[in-house]
Amino acid sequence: MSFLVEENPARRRFEILVDDALAGFTEYVPRGEVLVFTHTQVDERYQNMGVGSALIGGTLDQIRERGGRIVTQCEFMTRFIQRHSEYADLVVAEP
């Protein structure tokens, strides 16, 4: 199984493709230089397979690469960052 995480700016979300099929996404609202993440969804066919974690990890890696910051209103992303503290520096207070 191959994962690919890509930003889809037109839909304001990062998407994960599994073997070229859309398997999930995490939505955001841009606020200046900060992205406010509001919701993450993984297709039922791909749940409990690590797809959600791969999506969030890939999303946060891309945001780090471009020097971005985030606010998380999404419980799934919040829990992921709590378990993976190496991403905590990306989180800022609500703008």
Side-chain angles (χ1 to χ4, degrees), residues 2-47:
S2 67
F3 297 144
L4 175 65
V5 177
E6 296 181 312
E7 184 173 13
N8 182 339
R11 300 193 77 178
R12 294 185 172 172
R13 66 189 196 180
F14 283 80
E15 300 172 339
I16 188 165
L17 303 176
V18 175
D19 298 329
D20 297 324
L22 180 63
F25 57 86
T26 185
E27 297 175 318
Y28 63 82
V29 176
R31 289 207 186 129
E33 297 297 312
V34 175
L35 298 181
V36 180
F37 282 87
T38 57
H39 177 70
T40 299
Q41 184 172 322
V42 174
D43 187 289
E44 287 180 11
R45 294 173 292 167
Y46 299 100
Q47 291 182 0

